[in-house]
Amino acid sequence: MFTNFYLAGLGALIAALLLMLRWYLARRQLRVEAAEEYEARRERKPGTVTHMDGPDFIKMYVGAHEPRWALYGAAAVLANIMLSPVMVVLLMSLWPVLVLGLENGPWYDVGYYPWMFFMFFGMSALWALVGAGFARLHHQRAPENYHAGLARARGEPLDQVEIPRQRPKWAKRARPSWAPKLPRKDSAISSESSQNES
């Protein structure tokens, strides 16, 4: 019985190590790309990096592009591995209290379906709560956007910075060719201003 738990824990540990390796390799590659980007900007667009030195640019570039999800995912998996034995002990000690007022019968013993149901959903709730906690940390500690970081380093007010956004691949097919075209926002604004002037 415990062999399955050990195998599941080993599989989760391997998954966490693979996620950490993915983060580390991507970060190392991004450092090389950031150095190349900095040199290219110094040659072609020096005004974009005038107030930044190389290490600051590399730190900002890597922080904005690194796959942080892999690092937080690995941390969530490792936290779940460490908390699972504690949660099993807690759930096992809680089970007799829950079934205390129920009629005595063998179906409430450890190993029967009600107990299995309780243990399965109890452990699932723990894993989901840990995952939600790390997801919240991931979003709360998100680094500054790359374009906003460059603008801030140049001293531009961030509320006037237009951050370019690539159109997702799926969005190209979101509006079929036979659908009527919607008026653009700028044309609607210009038509309103022309009506106000007249």
Side-chain angles (χ1 to χ4, degrees), residues 15-132:
L17 291 175
L18 288 174
L19 285 170
M20 290 173 72
L21 182 66
R22 161 79 169 91
W23 171 78
Y24 173 75
L25 293 176
R27 188 175 169 86
R28 193 171 69 172
Q29 178 63 31
L30 282 168
R31 291 185 69 78
V32 174
E33 287 177 17
E36 293 171 358
E37 176 75 15
Y38 182 71
E39 291 303 321
R41 280 182 176 272
R42 281 183 56 195
E43 289 175 11
R44 291 187 222 122
K45 301 185 243 179
T48 60
V49 291
T50 50
H51 301 290
M52 295 185 83
D53 57 352
D56 287 341
F57 181 86
I58 289 172
K59 182 180 177 184
M60 184 201 61
Y61 186 94
V62 171
H65 292 96
E66 68 181 331
R68 295 170 51 251
W69 59 267
L71 187 62
Y72 281 88
V77 170
L78 290 174
N80 275 326
I81 291 172
M82 290 187 292
L83 289 174
S84 290
V86 176
M87 192 62 177
V88 166
V89 170
L90 182 68
L91 290 174
M92 288 289 289
S93 61
L94 190 61
W95 178 247
V97 176
L98 288 177
V99 297
L100 189 64
L102 302 175
E103 65 181 69
N104 288 333
W107 44 87
Y108 293 121
D109 290 344
V110 171
Y112 282 86
Y113 285 121
W115 176 83
M116 287 188 226
F117 182 85
F118 172 73
M119 292 298 289
F120 174 78
F121 284 104
M123 294 302 292
S124 297
L126 165 78
W127 296 332
L129 284 173
V130 170

